[in-house]
Amino acid sequence: MSMKVELVYLADQTTSFHQVLELPNGSTISALIMSSHLFEEYPQLQIDNLVVGIFGKRAQLEDSIYEGDRVEIYRDLTISPMDKRRLLAETRKNKKS
């Protein structure tokens, strides 16, 4: 039997990768990624360095996936959430002045 699973990667704020794949039951996140076209579109990525999750919950490459799962590949933060909030607050404060 097989199952359908989504793979999602946001390269930046404007570029994304989304693919729905059909894999055998019992497949892993690693098998999903290797079956996708991800590395053709983003050759700079290396599977050993990927941080992944399923529906927003952190997972490991060897974890099993199930019918309907959405596997997400996370990218490094370019700015910490605290710094981003601080910059946003400063921008709003300057606009009011």
Side-chain angles (χ1 to χ4, degrees):
M1 293 188 65
S2 63
M3 61 182 172
K4 287 188 179 179
V5 184
E6 290 180 83
L7 179 63
V8 178
Y9 172 64
L10 300 177
D12 56 41
Q13 292 181 348
T14 60
T15 309
S16 64
F17 175 88
H18 180 260
Q19 188 175 4
V20 177
L21 293 130
E22 193 164 331
L23 294 170
N25 288 344
S27 293
T28 63
I29 293 174
S30 179
L32 170 69
I33 294 170
M34 296 308 292
S35 298
S36 74
H37 299 290
L38 180 72
F39 297 119
E40 292 171 21
E41 292 192 35
Y42 301 96
Q44 72 277 14
L45 296 178
Q46 296 181 3
I47 194 157
D48 295 334
N49 298 332
L50 297 179
V51 178
V52 297
I54 300 174
F55 289 118
K57 185 176 179 183
R58 186 97 181 254
Q60 301 298 316
L61 291 171
E62 59 274 355
D63 289 350
S64 294
I65 48 178
Y66 301 95
E67 174 72 32
D69 278 351
R70 183 185 70 230
V71 175
E72 302 148 346
I73 299 174
Y74 305 120
R75 58 184 162 93
D76 292 333
L77 294 176
T78 56
I79 185 170
S80 75
M82 185 186 304
D83 289 340
K84 186 171 184 173
R85 285 190 299 272
R86 185 178 309 120
L87 288 171
L88 184 59
E90 288 174 9
T91 302
R92 288 180 181 162
K93 182 180 176 182
N94 290 339
K95 284 183 179 181
K96 289 181 180 180
S97 299

